[in-house]
Amino acid sequence: MTDSIVSRQVNSPKRRNDSNGEFKRLLLPETSQPDTNERRESPADPPEDQVLTVEEDGENTLDSVPPFSWATLWKFTGPGFLMSIAFLDPGNIEGDLQAGAVAGYSLLWLLLWATLMGLLIQLLSARIGVATGRHLAEICRSEYPSWARVLLWFMAEVALIGADIQEVIGSAIALQILTRGFLPIWVGVIITSFDCFLISYLEKCGMRKLEGLFAVLIATMALSFAWMFNETKPSGEELFIGIILPKLGSKTIRQAVGVVGCVITPHNVFLHSALVQSRKTNPKEVNRVQEALNYYNIESSAALFVSFMINLFVTAVFAKGFYGTEQADSIGLVNAGHYLQEKYGGGVFPILYIWGIGLLAAGQSSTITGTYAGQFIMEGFLDLQMEQWLSAFITRSFAIVPTMFVAVMFNTSEGSLDVLNEWLNILQSMQIPFAVIPLLTMVSKEHIMGVFKIGPSLEKLAWTVAVFVMMINGYLLLDFFMAEVKGFLVGFLVFAGIVAYISFIIYLVSYRSSQSSSWSSLEMSQRVVSTET
């Protein structure tokens, strides 16, 4: 065991791993790549002026972290806003509107704290990417045995497919609204599926172009839902009380669980650790790494503040319009626009179409980031080397094929789509431990993180947040299966699946403990040898 851990010291931030996947190289300029004969030229390498360039020669090595600079912050701005899209996908939007309609303003405090918990996890994801020069899927590939990393990859893909189905159908619903019902959902699914080619084109133009597209989509969401907020005029006093005063009733537990369960999406944990590498930061230079982490902390916090405000707008609009009404319990993503139209009417800009524009921006932005995350996950875990467009196509196919089936099967009923959405939320909730546990395991390891491993206090806080979120999702799973699972045979199969599921979680946690003990033993041995010398 000791020998295997010693061999993993090459993964620390003191060295750059030379075996990274091809897709990571698409984000980095040529000069930042390891000098090996195996590196292949990629036409999608972003131009040097579109990444933060860090001088690596001896004369420019820093003795301290540089002071804050707005110009440098601007260079680091981008990855956090792409990450924040997962907090604004159609699944989250539906959770917001249902929380507002059923619970009014009373769960806004929980939305705030859930966003802060999500921010903590995402900052740790960015930390491991910057400090190691590798993203989480690559690190999992090198740290776990083959069977475990393949299983982790499978779990990540399942979660991604579930999220992508929600996102693509959300976009299709928006297109149906904007075309006054002319386009059926399955046609909208086909139209949305072509976003992978848009990614290929924009990446050839550079990362800044791709980030610019997301800036436009986020601004569209913000303006659309802010316009609705202004149009419906929610109570400012009730909104303020809802944010600062914790309140939870027995009738709103399900909505509260939904609010918390949406803050951590498995594919987003993997994605953020890869996106931060679009800026050129040398892991060998401690002060440069610390500088990058400082700016990413600011940028990610700002991005999630924007996402919180957008989620707040949606919740407040439906709290104002539908809390305490007969429609409150039946409202969902499919019929929300029509309920808004009936409640607030038309005008110069009918609220139905404003809602459709915001929903389309949410769906399109999240499907693109989902495709992006899928490429990192597949190539990171499996160490695949392929052309970027082919990787995007394969990743997209994983989601589009089941989405087409779902769109055809569930196109006829609003209720059936709502049931489908519940199943998809359950599917994604089940995968959270298989992203969060590896992240917290790796980010607390000195042989991986070097001086940037998290301290005991932050580690305890992160595990507390992770366990809390997993317990919340566990409650959701238990409640759902208690209501849906009927019959001895089905019950037995579900029980067997739960046993296997819990066993793998126990393995991941125990693997963490065994690695911690082994590494501590190695450090103690080294100290003894050093003392004797």
Side-chain angles (χ1 to χ4, degrees):
M1 177 65 73
T2 301
D3 292 340
S4 65
I5 295 178
V6 172
S7 67
R8 289 189 184 125
Q9 284 184 287
V10 298
N11 296 330
S12 75
K14 301 297 183 181
R15 297 173 182 260
R16 181 180 291 273
N17 190 313
D18 293 339
S19 61
N20 296 333
E22 178 69 15
F23 191 66
K24 177 177 146 185
R25 296 188 181 110
L26 301 182
L27 297 182
L28 296 173
E30 278 186 36
T31 54
S32 70
Q33 302 299 332
D35 186 16
T36 68
N37 294 328
E38 296 181 357
R39 187 195 187 274
R40 297 183 297 175
E41 297 295 331
S42 170
D45 285 344
E48 288 279 345
D49 61 353
Q50 294 186 355
V51 296
L52 177 66
T53 302
V54 179
E55 297 293 340
E56 298 185 2
D57 55 70
E59 297 179 358
N60 291 289
T61 300
L62 300 178
D63 295 326
S64 61
V65 179
F68 175 81
S69 164
W70 287 103
T72 306
L73 177 61
W74 172 247
K75 292 181 180 179
F76 279 102
T77 299
F81 283 89
L82 269 68
M83 169 273 296
S84 72
I85 295 296
F87 290 72
L88 299 169
D89 66 14
N92 278 29
I93 297 297
E94 183 166 35
D96 293 335
L97 67 88
Q98 290 175 341
V102 175
Y105 304 95
S106 64
L107 295 181
L108 289 177
W109 67 273
L110 191 59
L111 175 63
L112 173 62
W113 283 101
T115 303
L116 292 176
M117 288 189 290
L119 173 63
L120 173 62
I121 298 299
Q122 293 304 146
L123 291 181
L124 294 180
S125 176
R127 186 184 188 94
I128 199 170
V130 175
T132 65
R134 299 183 298 159
H135 58 81
L136 181 59
E138 291 177 311
I139 296 173
C140 288
R141 187 185 74 236
S142 64
E143 291 294 311
Y144 288 110
S146 298
W147 71 269
R149 64 172 177 258
V150 170
L151 193 52
L152 285 172
W153 166 74
F154 176 77
M155 294 295 190
E157 289 288 356
V158 167
L160 182 59
I161 290 172
D164 218 0
I165 291 174
Q166 286 182 316
E167 294 156 2
V168 171
I169 289 182
S171 295
I173 291 172
L175 289 172
Q176 192 175 53
I177 291 172
L178 295 175
T179 60
R180 299 186 178 184
F182 177 75
L183 289 180
I185 289 180
W186 67 269
V187 175
V189 169
I190 294 176
I191 293 174
T192 305
S193 66
F194 286 104
D195 59 22
C196 62
F197 300 106
L198 179 62
I199 288 180
S200 301
Y201 172 75
L202 288 175
E203 280 185 334
K204 291 180 180 179
C205 299
M207 273 299 294
R208 278 301 195 188
K209 299 293 190 303
L210 186 62
E211 291 167 356
L213 170 65
F214 283 102
V216 171
L217 292 172
I218 292 173
T220 301
M221 279 186 276
L223 290 173
S224 298
F225 297 135
W227 185 93
M228 292 171 55
F229 181 86
N230 182 68
E231 186 75 9
T232 56
K233 295 178 172 56
S235 170
E237 180 181 353
E238 291 184 63
L239 189 148
F240 181 72
I241 293 174
I243 292 176
I244 65 172
L245 184 64
K247 182 181 178 182
L248 185 62
S250 59
K251 296 181 179 179
T252 61
I253 290 179
R254 192 174 185 86
Q255 284 69 37
V257 169
V259 169
V260 176
C262 290
V263 298
I264 299 177
T265 51
H267 71 270
N268 209 39
V269 175
F270 291 102
L271 176 64
H272 200 197
S273 65
L275 290 175
V276 294
Q277 294 172 54
S278 60
R279 272 56 175 174
K280 181 184 172 185
T281 303
N282 187 353
K284 297 177 182 178
E285 298 187 29
V286 172
N287 290 320
R288 287 293 188 191
V289 172
Q290 186 60 60
E291 178 191 31
L293 291 175
N294 292 343
Y295 285 116
Y296 282 132
N297 290 347
I298 296 172
E299 186 240 4
S300 297
S301 300
L304 289 194
F305 173 76
V306 173
S307 74
F308 168 74
M309 292 303 299
I310 293 174
N311 286 316
L312 182 146
F313 289 154
V314 175
T315 303
V317 165
F318 285 87
K320 169 67 175 179
F322 303 100
Y323 177 57
T325 66
E326 295 180 357
Q327 299 97 329
D329 292 326
S330 61
I331 197 166
L333 204 62
V334 179
N335 56 23
H338 298 291
Y339 281 149
L340 285 169
Q341 187 71 5
E342 291 175 3
K343 183 78 174 180
Y344 297 104
V348 179
F349 298 104
I351 195 169
L352 172 65
Y353 300 116
I354 299 298
W355 165 255
I357 291 171
L359 182 59
L360 181 62
Q364 281 296 291
S365 58
S366 55
T367 54
I368 295 174
T369 54
T371 302
Y372 217 39
Q375 293 169 324
F376 286 119
I377 289 170
M378 184 172 63
E379 297 193 8
F381 274 113
L382 305 182
D383 195 25
L384 297 179
Q385 306 264 329
M386 65 179 65
E387 294 295 331
Q388 188 271 337
W389 68 267
L390 180 59
S391 177
F393 178 78
I394 294 174
T395 303
R396 206 80 194 98
S397 298
F398 281 152
I400 291 302
V401 172
T403 303
M404 283 295 298
F405 173 78
V406 164
V408 172
M409 293 296 295
F410 292 88
N411 189 36
T412 58
S413 169
E414 294 178 0
S416 60
L417 280 173
D418 289 336
V419 171
L420 169 68
N421 189 60
E422 287 188 31
W423 277 96
L424 292 174
N425 286 335
I426 294 297
L427 184 68
Q428 294 174 73
S429 298
M430 292 177 64
Q431 313 309 319
I432 289 177
F434 308 119
V436 174
I437 293 176
L439 172 66
L440 299 188
T441 297
M442 303 308 169
V443 83
S444 60
K445 295 289 172 273
E446 187 171 358
H447 72 280
I448 294 174
M449 299 293 294
V451 297
F452 291 101
K453 81 164 190 173
I454 58 176
S457 298
L458 182 56
E459 184 178 5
K460 290 177 182 177
L461 176 61
W463 276 103
T464 300
V465 168
V467 170
F468 175 71
V469 173
M470 286 187 281
M471 288 179 63
I472 288 291
N473 283 281
Y475 170 84
L476 182 63
L477 290 172
L478 181 62
D479 180 66
F480 183 80
F481 284 121
M482 290 278 290
E484 297 294 332
V485 175
K486 299 175 183 178
F488 175 77
L489 179 60
V490 176
F492 175 78
L493 293 176
V494 169
F495 176 77
I498 290 175
V499 170
Y501 176 82
I502 295 176
S503 298
F504 190 41
I505 292 177
I506 293 174
Y507 166 79
L508 292 175
V509 174
S510 62
Y511 185 83
R512 165 183 176 269
S513 301
S514 64
Q515 292 298 302
S516 297
S517 301
S518 300
W519 183 252
S520 298
S521 300
L522 175 63
E523 284 186 313
M524 184 65 68
S525 301
Q526 290 176 336
R527 288 174 184 173
V528 170
V529 172
S530 176
T531 303
E532 291 177 351
T533 303

